Amino acid sequence: MIRDLGARALRGGFLWAAERGSLRKAVTTVPATHALVSRFVAGETLDEAVAGLRALHDRRFRTTVDVLGESVSDGHAAEEAAGQYVAALDALARGALDTNVSVKLTQMGLDLDPAFCLATTRRIAATAATVGGFVRIDMEDHTRTDPTLAIARQLHAETGNVGAVVQAYLRRSASDIERLITEGIRVRLCKGAYSEPADVAFQDRAEVDASYIALMERLLIDGTYPALATHDPAIIDRARSFVRAHGIDASRFEFQMLYGVRRDLQERLVRDGFTVRVYVPFGRDWYPYFMRRLAERPANVLFVVRSLLGERGSRD
């Protein structure tokens, strides 16, 4: 119990820090941080990302690309971010790599104007359609769930190549899953990576896991090519047992995992004949993403703390 409370407090602290741009300088100026960032982020430029994607492709992984960035302050920034996605899709097509991208709507101007955000994101979906690609609309905190799903639905209706994300820790997710199944929209199921209040999200790990498993099994039965985004070995084993028991072929779904996380598990699943799509982020605006990865894995936090102590000791 005490250990769980400590882990929850630590996670909450890093999620809080992820929203504090004022802390970015303190993190980014520590040399040891860069080695860890490179574990989770495939570079700051498109060329660096393409090299990382090529290496994954050669090892039989599928990929989805995230041009890092979140809330923008003006329309110009949103249009610039959309342009980066268009450039990325063009580069992926030229390189015969997966033309599959993941997009956060706050980066496309959702908080400025949902109609403007729809138009901006439509540009990415249209580009993806021309190269036979796919766009996954990432989910953010619960206050943005409804507008995010509305835009995903609209673009799916227009192009057929747009999917959504459902977070298992939200109490509303079972009903969202049912509607998305009915609409034939591809779903990526994840546990959830934001700090949410108890009235909208499960707080206990066991409850979140139970919700994930229930939603996962529902999607495996009736969903349209669901993506199971998890690094939890127990849940992955549960998925493998479930599809075996129900005669569900491995071609009907995929596992998704983050770049640099549980690479051993990723490789084992590929060897066993499953599709594994790696979520590959790149870009200069990596700070919020990086802090959320620290929140998810205490081992990463220990690495940073040891590095910071080492840096301080070398100066004393």
Side-chain angles (χ1 to χ4, degrees):
M1 176 65 75
I2 293 175
R3 183 178 180 180
D4 288 344
L5 289 173
R8 190 179 302 173
L10 188 62
R11 178 176 184 272
F14 276 93
L15 291 176
W16 174 85
E19 306 299 328
R20 301 300 184 276
S22 59
L23 296 177
R24 173 172 177 152
K25 185 176 180 180
V27 174
T28 57
T29 55
V30 176
T33 302
H34 295 283
L36 184 56
V37 171
S38 66
R39 171 70 178 258
F40 301 118
V41 178
E44 293 193 347
T45 68
L46 178 57
D47 286 345
E48 289 173 333
V50 167
L53 292 162
R54 175 67 60 193
L56 288 167
H57 177 270
D58 292 345
R59 289 158 51 207
R60 296 187 295 148
F61 289 105
R62 308 303 299 270
T63 56
T64 183
V65 171
D66 173 20
V67 181
L68 288 171
E70 300 187 16
S71 296
V72 295
S73 58
D74 57 63
H76 175 74
E79 291 172 348
E80 183 178 359
Q84 290 181 289
Y85 271 101
V86 169
L89 283 164
D90 288 341
L92 295 173
R94 289 195 304 271
L97 297 167
D98 282 334
T99 49
N100 187 304
V101 297
S102 296
V103 179
K104 283 185 173 60
L105 292 189
T106 57
Q107 188 183 17
M108 297 299 121
L110 180 63
D111 293 346
L112 303 175
D113 176 22
F116 170 77
C117 177
L118 173 61
T120 307
T121 313
R122 182 181 283 124
R123 178 182 168 197
I124 301 171
T127 301
T130 65
V131 296
F134 181 78
V135 178
R136 182 83 63 178
I137 305 298
D138 276 337
M139 191 58 69
E140 300 178 68
D141 70 90
H142 81 278
T143 65
R144 300 179 175 102
T145 301
D146 283 327
T148 297
L149 288 176
I151 288 175
R153 289 188 174 99
Q154 178 66 36
L155 294 176
H156 169 78
E158 293 175 5
T159 66
N161 69 336
V162 174
V165 175
V166 171
Q167 299 178 109
Y169 69 172
L170 294 183
R171 298 180 186 275
R172 60 174 288 169
S173 290
S175 60
D176 287 333
I177 286 285
E178 292 303 323
R179 183 173 175 185
L180 291 165
I181 287 174
T182 300
E183 295 166 331
I185 296 176
R186 286 167 55 176
V187 172
R188 174 200 293 149
L189 179 65
C190 65
K191 289 187 180 182
Y194 293 83
S195 182
E196 301 284 16
D199 60 327
V200 300
F202 300 114
Q203 304 295 305
D204 183 75
R205 177 178 176 178
E207 288 183 301
V208 175
D209 287 353
S211 175
Y212 190 100
I213 289 169
L215 298 175
M216 173 185 76
E217 293 178 350
R218 182 74 185 94
L219 285 166
L220 286 169
I221 292 294
D222 285 324
T224 301
Y225 194 70
L228 310 180
T230 180
H231 306 95
D232 188 327
I235 289 180
I236 290 171
D237 287 345
R238 176 70 173 256
R240 296 183 61 160
S241 296
F242 186 84
V243 298
R244 184 167 55 248
H246 290 79
I248 298 171
D249 192 80
S251 64
R252 287 175 49 190
F253 69 97
E254 67 184 27
F255 291 104
Q256 290 196 6
M257 296 188 182
L258 298 172
Y259 183 79
V261 179
R262 288 307 308 266
R263 291 179 291 192
D264 58 328
L265 188 52
Q266 296 176 17
E267 291 169 356
R268 178 163 63 85
L269 286 169
V270 170
R271 286 198 304 268
D272 289 347
F274 293 98
T275 299
V276 176
R277 188 176 303 277
V278 180
Y279 186 99
V280 182
F282 81 94
R284 293 180 174 84
D285 193 16
W286 51 260
Y287 172 76
Y289 179 87
F290 173 67
M291 297 305 283
R292 291 195 182 95
R293 300 295 77 78
L294 293 184
E296 290 169 1
R297 289 180 60 80
N300 297 332
V301 179
L302 292 175
F303 179 92
V304 171
V305 170
R306 289 169 184 154
S307 298
L308 288 169
L309 291 174
E311 288 285 330
R312 176 173 293 181
S314 66
R315 292 195 298 267
D316 291 343

